[in-house]
Tab-separated table of all heavy atoms in Angstrom:
chain	number	residue	atom	x	y	z
A	10	ILE	N	25.947	10.202	15.973
A	10	ILE	CA	26.007	10.365	17.362
A	10	ILE	C	26.551	11.722	17.811
A	10	ILE	O	27.125	12.446	16.925
A	10	ILE	CB	26.834	9.337	18.072
A	10	ILE	CG1	28.249	9.394	17.621
A	10	ILE	CG2	26.163	8.020	17.882
A	10	ILE	CD1	29.105	8.423	18.364
A	11	GLY	N	26.302	12.170	18.918
A	11	GLY	CA	26.672	13.452	19.406
A	11	GLY	C	28.194	13.444	20.025
A	11	GLY	O	28.668	12.355	20.116
A	12	THR	N	28.761	14.645	20.318
A	12	THR	CA	30.093	14.844	20.708
A	12	THR	C	30.326	14.106	22.055
A	12	THR	O	31.339	13.249	22.043
A	12	THR	CB	30.334	16.293	20.984
A	12	THR	OG1	30.141	17.031	19.725
A	12	THR	CG2	31.855	16.418	21.385
A	13	SER	N	29.401	14.005	23.029
A	13	SER	CA	29.676	13.310	24.185
A	13	SER	C	29.552	11.853	24.025
A	13	SER	O	30.394	11.114	24.691
A	13	SER	CB	28.653	13.763	25.263
A	13	SER	OG	27.317	13.429	24.882
A	14	GLU	N	28.879	11.399	23.009
A	14	GLU	CA	28.670	10.032	22.598
A	14	GLU	C	30.081	9.575	21.997
A	14	GLU	O	30.467	8.474	22.178
A	14	GLU	CB	27.505	9.724	21.751
A	14	GLU	CG	26.246	9.926	22.524
A	14	GLU	CD	24.963	9.726	21.594
A	14	GLU	OE1	24.932	10.459	20.511
A	14	GLU	OE2	24.133	8.905	21.946
A	15	VAL	N	30.636	10.508	21.138
A	15	VAL	CA	31.943	10.065	20.592
A	15	VAL	C	32.944	9.790	21.664
A	15	VAL	O	33.734	8.883	21.445
A	15	VAL	CB	32.440	11.253	19.591
A	15	VAL	CG1	33.788	11.005	19.145
A	15	VAL	CG2	31.502	11.296	18.299
A	16	GLU	N	32.909	10.653	22.696
A	16	GLU	CA	33.840	10.440	23.760
A	16	GLU	C	33.672	9.083	24.412
A	16	GLU	O	34.538	8.383	24.764
A	16	GLU	CB	33.673	11.596	24.818
A	16	GLU	CG	34.562	11.430	25.992
A	16	GLU	CD	34.244	12.561	27.048
A	16	GLU	OE1	33.214	13.182	26.936
A	16	GLU	OE2	35.184	12.722	27.955
A	17	MET	N	32.369	8.696	24.589
A	17	MET	CA	32.089	7.392	25.155
A	17	MET	C	32.485	6.301	24.331
A	17	MET	O	32.984	5.313	24.839
A	17	MET	CB	30.601	7.247	25.411
A	17	MET	CG	30.130	6.150	26.183
A	17	MET	SD	30.833	6.081	27.967
A	17	MET	CE	29.950	7.400	28.722
A	18	VAL	N	32.417	6.388	23.067
A	18	VAL	CA	32.707	5.368	22.186
A	18	VAL	C	34.290	5.096	22.140
A	18	VAL	O	34.909	4.006	22.160
A	18	VAL	CB	32.244	5.595	20.692
A	18	VAL	CG1	32.954	4.661	19.667
A	18	VAL	CG2	30.784	5.403	20.603
A	19	LEU	N	35.157	6.287	22.122
A	19	LEU	CA	36.549	6.280	22.216
A	19	LEU	C	37.050	5.622	23.401
A	19	LEU	O	38.079	4.981	23.434
A	19	LEU	CB	37.069	7.661	21.881
A	19	LEU	CG	36.938	8.193	20.539
A	19	LEU	CD1	37.378	9.607	20.391
A	19	LEU	CD2	37.766	7.336	19.424
A	20	ALA	N	36.265	5.901	24.562
A	20	ALA	CA	36.714	5.442	25.802
A	20	ALA	C	36.364	4.012	26.142
A	20	ALA	O	37.066	3.168	26.749
A	20	ALA	CB	36.191	6.339	26.984
A	21	THR	N	35.199	3.503	25.757
A	21	THR	CA	34.735	2.219	26.088
A	21	THR	C	34.514	1.305	24.921
A	21	THR	O	34.177	0.134	25.188
A	21	THR	CB	33.428	2.395	26.934
A	21	THR	OG1	32.469	2.840	26.107
A	21	THR	CG2	33.707	3.377	28.053
A	22	GLN	N	34.303	1.794	23.653
A	22	GLN	CA	33.842	0.923	22.558
A	22	GLN	C	32.365	0.554	22.755
A	22	GLN	O	31.804	-0.305	22.134
A	22	GLN	CB	34.707	-0.185	22.308
A	22	GLN	CG	36.086	0.073	21.766
A	22	GLN	CD	35.964	0.583	20.256
A	22	GLN	OE1	35.671	-0.036	19.383
A	22	GLN	NE2	36.070	1.862	20.090
A	23	CYS	N	31.619	1.222	23.583
A	23	CYS	CA	30.322	0.840	23.974
A	23	CYS	C	29.445	2.208	23.822
A	23	CYS	O	29.968	3.166	24.040
A	23	CYS	CB	30.097	0.341	25.318
A	23	CYS	SG	30.896	-1.269	25.420
A	24	LEU	N	28.064	2.025	23.677
A	24	LEU	CA	27.171	3.176	23.684
A	24	LEU	C	25.803	2.750	23.986
A	24	LEU	O	25.288	1.800	23.422
A	24	LEU	CB	27.209	3.588	22.199
A	24	LEU	CG	26.555	5.016	22.006
A	24	LEU	CD1	27.335	6.175	22.745
A	24	LEU	CD2	26.631	5.466	20.388
A	25	LEU	N	25.236	3.362	24.966
A	25	LEU	CA	23.878	3.072	25.371
A	25	LEU	C	22.896	3.489	24.409
A	25	LEU	O	22.923	4.649	24.004
A	25	LEU	CB	23.646	3.640	26.813
A	25	LEU	CG	22.301	3.271	27.477
A	25	LEU	CD1	22.103	1.795	27.793
A	25	LEU	CD2	22.031	4.271	28.708
A	26	GLN	N	21.948	2.686	24.033
A	26	GLN	CA	20.855	2.990	22.970
A	26	GLN	C	19.605	2.282	23.392
A	26	GLN	O	19.554	1.300	24.015
A	26	GLN	CB	21.308	2.521	21.600
A	26	GLN	CG	22.587	3.077	20.931
A	26	GLN	CD	22.314	4.412	20.513
A	26	GLN	OE1	21.666	4.783	19.541
A	26	GLN	NE2	22.845	5.510	21.265
A	27	ARG	N	18.541	3.016	22.899
A	27	ARG	CA	17.248	2.421	23.019
A	27	ARG	C	16.907	1.656	21.691
A	27	ARG	O	17.403	2.115	20.629
A	27	ARG	CB	16.077	3.422	23.144
A	27	ARG	CG	16.028	4.164	24.502
A	27	ARG	CD	14.891	5.174	24.470
A	27	ARG	NE	14.742	5.645	25.889
A	27	ARG	CZ	15.337	6.714	26.298
A	27	ARG	NH1	16.123	7.498	25.555
A	27	ARG	NH2	15.199	7.194	27.464
A	28	LYS	N	16.301	0.490	21.910
A	28	LYS	CA	16.088	-0.383	20.671
A	28	LYS	C	15.156	0.376	19.712
A	28	LYS	O	13.961	0.537	20.216
A	28	LYS	CB	15.583	-1.776	21.064
A	28	LYS	CG	15.454	-2.789	19.951
A	28	LYS	CD	14.929	-4.067	20.337
A	28	LYS	CE	14.664	-4.993	19.344
A	28	LYS	NZ	14.087	-6.338	19.776
A	29	PRO	N	15.526	0.492	18.424
A	29	PRO	CA	14.506	1.148	17.550
A	29	PRO	C	13.485	0.305	17.130
A	29	PRO	O	13.721	-0.950	17.157
A	29	PRO	CB	15.575	1.581	16.450
A	29	PRO	CG	16.539	0.541	16.414
A	29	PRO	CD	16.716	0.116	17.821
A	30	GLN	N	12.470	0.674	16.429
A	30	GLN	CA	11.546	-0.008	15.798
A	30	GLN	C	12.042	-0.327	14.297
A	30	GLN	O	13.114	0.260	13.924
A	30	GLN	CB	10.187	0.630	15.640
A	30	GLN	CG	9.438	0.831	16.937
A	30	GLN	CD	8.069	1.422	16.929
A	30	GLN	OE1	7.889	2.600	16.634
A	30	GLN	NE2	7.040	0.565	17.073
A	31	THR	N	11.442	-1.293	13.652
A	31	THR	CA	11.835	-1.678	12.240
A	31	THR	C	10.855	-1.253	11.222
A	31	THR	O	9.589	-1.342	11.388
A	31	THR	CB	12.086	-3.062	12.210
A	31	THR	OG1	10.956	-3.789	12.693
A	31	THR	CG2	13.223	-3.498	13.153
A	32	LEU	N	11.336	-0.672	10.045
A	32	LEU	CA	10.452	-0.259	9.036
A	32	LEU	C	11.028	-0.873	7.788
A	32	LEU	O	12.111	-0.694	7.354
A	32	LEU	CB	10.562	1.238	8.918
A	32	LEU	CG	9.916	1.994	7.571
A	32	LEU	CD1	8.454	1.462	7.498
A	32	LEU	CD2	10.093	3.416	7.667
A	33	ASP	N	10.255	-1.773	7.028
A	33	ASP	CA	10.468	-2.420	5.778
A	33	ASP	C	10.108	-1.552	4.651
A	33	ASP	O	8.876	-1.375	4.491
A	33	ASP	CB	10.001	-3.846	5.816
A	33	ASP	CG	10.146	-4.629	4.679
A	33	ASP	OD1	11.211	-4.444	4.057
A	33	ASP	OD2	9.274	-5.374	4.179
A	34	VAL	N	10.879	-1.130	3.896
A	34	VAL	CA	10.591	-0.403	2.698
A	34	VAL	C	11.040	-1.089	1.498
A	34	VAL	O	12.151	-1.430	1.127
A	34	VAL	CB	11.421	0.973	2.664
A	34	VAL	CG1	11.088	1.749	1.405
A	34	VAL	CG2	10.964	1.922	3.783
A	35	ARG	N	9.931	-1.716	0.829
A	35	ARG	CA	10.165	-2.507	-0.351
A	35	ARG	C	9.964	-1.651	-1.608
A	35	ARG	O	8.917	-1.124	-1.893
A	35	ARG	CB	9.236	-3.709	-0.405
A	35	ARG	CG	9.455	-4.615	0.768
A	35	ARG	CD	10.553	-5.571	0.533
A	35	ARG	NE	11.264	-5.865	1.722
A	35	ARG	CZ	12.253	-6.685	1.762
A	35	ARG	NH1	12.692	-7.272	0.741
A	35	ARG	NH2	12.980	-6.783	3.042
A	36	VAL	N	11.030	-1.777	-2.480
A	36	VAL	CA	10.968	-0.890	-3.669
A	36	VAL	C	10.943	-1.727	-4.970
A	36	VAL	O	11.964	-2.546	-5.119
A	36	VAL	CB	12.082	0.177	-3.830
A	36	VAL	CG1	11.864	1.242	-4.920
A	36	VAL	CG2	12.170	1.061	-2.400
A	37	HIS	N	9.966	-1.737	-5.712
A	37	HIS	CA	9.901	-2.639	-6.864
A	37	HIS	C	10.011	-1.901	-8.219
A	37	HIS	O	9.741	-0.641	-8.234
A	37	HIS	CB	8.459	-3.350	-6.682
A	37	HIS	CG	8.261	-4.004	-5.520
A	37	HIS	ND1	8.909	-5.223	-5.158
A	37	HIS	CD2	7.471	-3.715	-4.455
A	37	HIS	CE1	8.531	-5.639	-3.930
A	37	HIS	NE2	7.677	-4.709	-3.575
A	38	GLY	N	10.342	-2.665	-9.237
A	38	GLY	CA	10.423	-1.936	-10.555
A	38	GLY	C	11.968	-1.722	-10.892
A	38	GLY	O	12.860	-2.294	-10.281
A	39	ARG	N	12.216	-0.819	-11.915
A	39	ARG	CA	13.494	-0.663	-12.214
A	39	ARG	C	13.712	0.944	-12.677
A	39	ARG	O	12.720	1.453	-13.221
A	39	ARG	CB	13.949	-1.514	-13.380
A	39	ARG	CG	15.616	-1.750	-13.522
A	39	ARG	CD	15.740	-2.803	-14.491
A	39	ARG	NE	17.189	-3.108	-14.643
A	39	ARG	CZ	17.847	-4.030	-13.748
A	39	ARG	NH1	17.109	-4.640	-12.857
A	39	ARG	NH2	19.136	-4.148	-13.769
A	40	LEU	N	14.786	1.460	-12.457
A	40	LEU	CA	14.989	2.855	-12.778
A	40	LEU	C	15.053	2.966	-14.280
A	40	LEU	O	15.653	2.306	-15.008
A	40	LEU	CB	16.247	3.364	-12.302
A	40	LEU	CG	16.376	3.574	-10.698
A	40	LEU	CD1	17.718	3.789	-10.187
A	40	LEU	CD2	15.351	4.419	-10.146
A	41	CYS	N	14.355	4.020	-14.820
A	41	CYS	CA	14.312	4.380	-16.302
A	41	CYS	C	15.557	5.204	-16.606
A	41	CYS	O	16.192	5.760	-15.683
A	41	CYS	CB	12.977	4.946	-16.677
A	41	CYS	SG	11.512	3.901	-16.526
A	42	ALA	N	15.734	5.444	-17.825
A	42	ALA	CA	16.814	6.383	-18.340
A	42	ALA	C	16.481	7.754	-17.831
A	42	ALA	O	15.409	8.356	-17.851
A	42	ALA	CB	16.875	6.283	-19.773
A	43	GLY	N	17.567	8.431	-17.245
A	43	GLY	CA	17.512	9.710	-16.644
A	43	GLY	C	17.028	9.736	-15.289
A	43	GLY	O	16.961	10.869	-14.645
A	44	VAL	N	16.682	8.612	-14.694
A	44	VAL	CA	16.193	8.555	-13.316
A	44	VAL	C	17.151	7.784	-12.481
A	44	VAL	O	17.752	6.755	-12.923
A	44	VAL	CB	14.856	7.773	-13.237
A	44	VAL	CG1	14.263	7.871	-11.672
A	44	VAL	CG2	13.751	8.390	-14.079
A	45	THR	N	17.636	8.342	-11.342
A	45	THR	CA	18.693	7.678	-10.511
A	45	THR	C	18.156	7.357	-9.131
A	45	THR	O	17.115	7.485	-8.759
A	45	THR	CB	19.734	8.853	-10.371
A	45	THR	OG1	19.224	9.850	-9.442
A	45	THR	CG2	20.057	9.515	-11.771
A	46	ALA	N	19.209	6.801	-8.475
A	46	ALA	CA	19.004	6.484	-6.990
A	46	ALA	C	18.523	7.597	-6.172
A	46	ALA	O	17.794	7.632	-5.270
A	46	ALA	CB	20.250	5.941	-6.466
A	47	LYS	N	19.038	8.978	-6.497
A	47	LYS	CA	18.609	10.139	-5.745
A	47	LYS	C	17.134	10.318	-5.946
A	47	LYS	O	16.453	10.720	-5.026
A	47	LYS	CB	19.474	11.323	-6.264
A	47	LYS	CG	19.209	12.617	-5.646
A	47	LYS	CD	19.600	12.586	-4.138
A	47	LYS	CE	19.753	13.933	-3.626
A	47	LYS	NZ	20.915	14.567	-3.972
A	48	ASP	N	16.610	10.109	-7.129
A	48	ASP	CA	15.248	10.242	-7.366
A	48	ASP	C	14.496	9.238	-6.617
A	48	ASP	O	13.296	9.402	-6.101
A	48	ASP	CB	15.014	10.177	-8.878
A	48	ASP	CG	15.675	11.229	-9.687
A	48	ASP	OD1	15.576	12.414	-9.584
A	48	ASP	OD2	16.518	10.762	-10.594
A	49	LEU	N	14.931	7.994	-6.530
A	49	LEU	CA	14.349	6.856	-5.878
A	49	LEU	C	14.171	7.264	-4.352
A	49	LEU	O	13.010	7.139	-3.873
A	49	LEU	CB	15.278	5.530	-5.931
A	49	LEU	CG	14.623	4.296	-5.355
A	49	LEU	CD1	15.274	3.097	-6.114
A	49	LEU	CD2	14.778	4.159	-3.885
A	50	VAL	N	15.214	7.755	-3.808
A	50	VAL	CA	15.139	8.001	-2.304
A	50	VAL	C	14.368	9.324	-2.046
A	50	VAL	O	13.661	9.228	-1.032
A	50	VAL	CB	16.574	8.130	-1.664
A	50	VAL	CG1	17.355	9.355	-2.156
A	50	VAL	CG2	16.514	7.953	-0.077
A	51	LEU	N	14.338	10.176	-2.915
A	51	LEU	CA	13.448	11.456	-2.779
A	51	LEU	C	12.042	10.913	-2.837
A	51	LEU	O	11.141	11.416	-2.085
A	51	LEU	CB	13.675	12.460	-3.717
A	51	LEU	CG	14.959	13.264	-3.691
A	51	LEU	CD1	15.122	14.191	-4.934
A	51	LEU	CD2	14.941	14.165	-2.402
A	52	ALA	N	11.636	9.954	-3.689
A	52	ALA	CA	10.362	9.395	-3.829
A	52	ALA	C	9.941	8.777	-2.403
A	52	ALA	O	8.761	8.805	-2.050
A	52	ALA	CB	10.297	8.488	-4.979
């Protein structure tokens, strides 16, 4: 969040937001030797 929103959270514990859409990312298989979670998320 931005600086003005930080102020709002500290003052009220609330924050006005627009409801986001949802994106389902299904990742199948298994990481091979030498391949990491960083490679997974870059992919």
Side-chain angles (χ1 to χ4, degrees):
I10 58 177
T12 304
S13 59
E14 291 176 307
V15 170
E16 180 183 16
M17 185 61 66
V18 170
L19 288 173
T21 70
Q22 289 291 287
C23 297
L24 193 60
L25 184 65
Q26 293 286 293
R27 288 185 175 88
K28 184 180 178 181
Q30 293 183 292
T31 54
L32 170 55
D33 180 32
V34 174
R35 296 281 140 179
V36 188
H37 306 286
R39 203 170 187 90
L40 296 173
C41 298
V44 184
T45 72
K47 182 62 162 291
D48 303 301
L49 185 159
V50 71
L51 285 174

